[in-house]
Amino acid sequence: MPFTLAIIGRPNVGKSTLFNRLVGQRLALVHDRPGVTRDRREARALIDDIPIRIIDTAGLGEVGTDDVVAKRMREQTEIALSESNAALFVLDARVGVTALERESLQVLRKFGIPLLPVANKCEGRQAPDGLHEINALGLGDVIAVSAEHGDGIIDLYRRLFSLLGEDQSDNGLLTDRQDGLDMADPFDTATPIRIAVVGRPNAGKSTLINRLLGYSRLLTGAQPGLTRDAVRLPHRFNNRDVLLIDTAGMRRRTRMTDPLERAAVGEAQRAIRLCQVAVLVLDGERQLDRQDLRIAQHIAKEGRAMIVVVNKIDCLNEGSEVLATIRERLDQSFPQMRGVTVLALSALHGQGVQELGPAVVQTYETWGVRIPTARLNDWLNDQMAHHDPPLAGDGRRVKPRYITQIKTHPPSFALFVNRPDMVPVGYQRFLINGLRRDFGLWGTPLRLRLKKGKNPYI
């Protein structure tokens, strides 16, 4: 386990902004409203070529609060502290030290790890009045930074490097295998399979990930909208490394009036864009509605493989009938993903969850399949023999000449034809459905591009 650093502080002092600055990527959701971060999230950073693990937390909050969500957020923070070698105690230099921060400091000292006081919001190397109060805490030299603008980050790096020690520079922590917590190329086969768990609010996405992990890692509850950040968690399916990405519930955009909710949904859409397999979680009690179809449409538009999970199956009396209805409606309303895998499970009780891992691996392999050109052209000749290409508007026949696969992820094909602009949409669908049926390309979007070959007599 690499050196682990937790970022602690009261709400709205800039913890997530500092987290993004240290890891060099915009991974954590940042907003002016306090209390945006709820689940702890982690990523890797390099300090003078030494890898460290950084954990962004919600902070300790008030002691003795009756709010269930606040209690669980505090538990998440305490878990992060118990796993850390040191902590950055972030304070707002403009405000100074509050009573909540003095109370939190007493708790932090009980963990027995080094605390580095970080005075944030010191733009332009200014010395706000609050710096004097922070210095009086007795935690050593205060590191004045501006996480938003990058001021003072070099000083923070120097202090962190002094904690790491020279013996950390050759400890074997930099290996060829990464844990997938960074945003590497999503199509690199050496990285884990990226799985975005998406759906409407309160469909059970976080509960499902907790069930897969085997412990309560993410905040869950009856109230919708608990998840805001897109939290990435490493896991294994059938000896295959995967990266589970929990996302915020996606409501209809016309119903979203809160800017924070819009930002959270934007993070969910970004997770779909960067994932490889999207698991669309449906509420079994509400079955399939228009918003579910909109999310599925977005997944197909981004070219991602998809699995549909019907959650809360334990609450249904006729589960098999519900599944049959959902499959039929998906095929009718969503032909571009015909044959998508539909699983019924209960994330709360674990029923059927074991089927998800093999389905994800199979769908991922289908998404990356490559078909030899010779097989494709033999198939094209058979299709033309059984179904003549249509006539164009001027009575001349459209003549497909050659087909080849031009890329994977998703499978994409180029069809060379004498008059590409005159090929009817219906005939294109006929060919796509034939590719899906004859080569087993179920549950993944297909791309067919029409091209005109060069005239050899010109």
Side-chain angles (χ1 to χ4, degrees), residues 105-394:
L105 183 57
Q106 302 302 318
V107 178
L108 290 173
R109 282 173 168 153
K110 294 179 181 179
F111 285 88
I113 59 177
L115 297 177
L116 300 183
V118 177
N120 193 24
K121 305 183 183 180
C122 294
E123 285 78 10
R125 299 281 184 167
Q126 296 179 359
D129 296 336
L131 274 177
H132 302 292
E133 297 183 15
I134 299 174
N135 274 309
L137 292 176
L139 296 176
D141 294 335
V142 178
I143 310 169
V145 304
S146 172
E148 184 175 358
H149 298 93
D151 298 339
I153 298 299
I154 296 299
D155 297 331
L156 177 57
Y157 282 156
R158 291 194 183 101
R159 291 287 296 277
L160 290 176
F161 186 70
S162 65
L163 283 179
L164 292 172
E166 294 295 338
D167 58 339
Q168 293 282 339
S169 59
D170 189 25
N171 57 5
L173 292 177
L174 280 175
T175 62
D176 294 334
R177 178 186 177 276
Q178 298 294 321
D179 61 2
L181 292 175
D182 56 349
M183 298 307 297
D185 180 2
F187 306 130
D188 185 1
T189 56
T191 62
I193 303 174
R194 302 181 187 277
I195 306 168
V197 182
V198 299
R200 286 180 285 129
N202 211 29
K205 302 180 292 297
S206 299
T207 305
L208 175 59
I209 293 181
N210 284 343
R211 174 63 63 177
L212 292 171
L213 296 175
Y215 64 98
S216 181
R217 172 61 175 80
L218 301 168
L219 290 179
T220 59
Q223 61 271 45
L226 281 180
T227 301
R228 289 172 176 168
D229 269 311
V231 182
R232 299 163 178 82
L233 300 166
H235 189 53
R236 290 181 71 84
F237 280 150
N238 297 347
N239 297 322
R240 184 67 182 268
D241 290 336
V242 301
L243 189 67
L244 301 173
I245 308 175
D246 189 27
T247 64
M250 303 171 67
R251 293 199 301 166
R252 292 176 57 183
R253 182 164 292 275
T254 55
R255 295 183 179 179
M256 291 188 296
T257 59
D258 187 355
L260 179 56
E261 183 181 4
R262 288 180 180 271
V265 172
E267 288 294 305
Q269 293 174 340
R270 180 171 178 264
I272 292 176
R273 186 171 65 253
L274 294 174
C275 79
Q276 296 165 315
V277 180
V279 176
L280 176 57
V281 181
L282 309 181
D283 187 337
E285 296 179 300
R286 300 174 62 182
Q287 299 187 25
L288 189 69
D289 68 2
R290 290 184 179 180
Q291 178 61 12
D292 293 318
L293 291 175
R294 289 190 184 95
I295 299 173
Q297 180 71 33
H298 183 71
I299 295 171
K301 182 179 179 181
E302 294 291 346
R304 305 299 166 230
M306 185 175 72
I307 293 176
V308 176
V309 166
V310 183
N311 192 22
K312 307 180 184 180
I313 197 66
D314 53 304
C315 301
L316 303 178
N317 294 326
E318 299 294 338
S320 58
E321 295 182 5
V322 171
L323 286 180
T325 302
I326 290 176
R327 287 192 178 98
E328 181 179 359
R329 189 174 177 190
L330 280 171
D331 287 342
Q332 291 177 353
S333 305
F334 204 50
Q336 59 267 49
M337 296 284 279
R338 188 180 300 277
V340 63
T341 300
V342 180
L343 301 177
L345 55 82
S346 171
L348 184 61
H349 301 289
Q351 176 185 350
V353 174
Q354 69 279 1
E355 299 178 9
L356 182 58
V360 164
V361 175
Q362 177 62 45
T363 302
Y364 171 76
E365 292 174 352
T366 302
W367 186 61
V369 71
R370 179 169 291 279
I371 305 171
T373 300
R375 287 187 60 194
L376 284 172
N377 283 279
D378 290 342
W379 170 85
L380 180 62
N381 292 331
D382 290 340
Q383 298 301 304
M384 294 174 60
H386 291 87
H387 193 292
D388 290 335
L391 296 176
D394 57 1

Side-chain angles (χ1 to χ4, degrees), residues 55-70:
I55 306 178
D56 185 23
T57 70
L60 290 173
E62 297 182 6
V63 179
T65 179
D66 294 330
D67 190 318
V68 176
V69 175

